Amino acid sequence: MEQKNPMVIAYLLFASAALFAVLAVLALTGVVDLGIEPEQLALAFGLVVVADLVIATFVMLRIARR
């Protein structure tokens, strides 16, 4: 089996955080309408952004210890 770059996981988490940050802004501006209050939808997307960044930080710290 081929060796994969462990940083790929961190890069994907950062990309996911960026995507959800854009969705949060779109929800606040009213571009994205899912039938939920815009503030609540933006808050949910914001929480996902924070979770992605925290997980990515732990992944990078773990890689740095190797």
Side-chain angles (χ1 to χ4, degrees), residues 28-51:
L28 273 178
T29 58
V31 176
V32 175
D33 185 18
L34 299 176
I36 303 171
E37 293 293 323
E39 293 82 14
Q40 292 176 352
L41 189 59
L43 179 63
F45 285 143
L47 290 174
V48 171
V49 169
V50 171

Side-chain angles (χ1 to χ4, degrees), residues 4-16 52 55-60 63 66:
K4 295 188 179 183
N5 185 359
M7 283 297 291
V8 170
I9 296 170
Y11 296 148
L12 290 174
L13 286 167
F14 284 129
S16 172
D52 277 352
I55 294 170
T57 302
F58 283 121
V59 167
M60 290 179 67
I63 291 169
R66 289 185 186 180

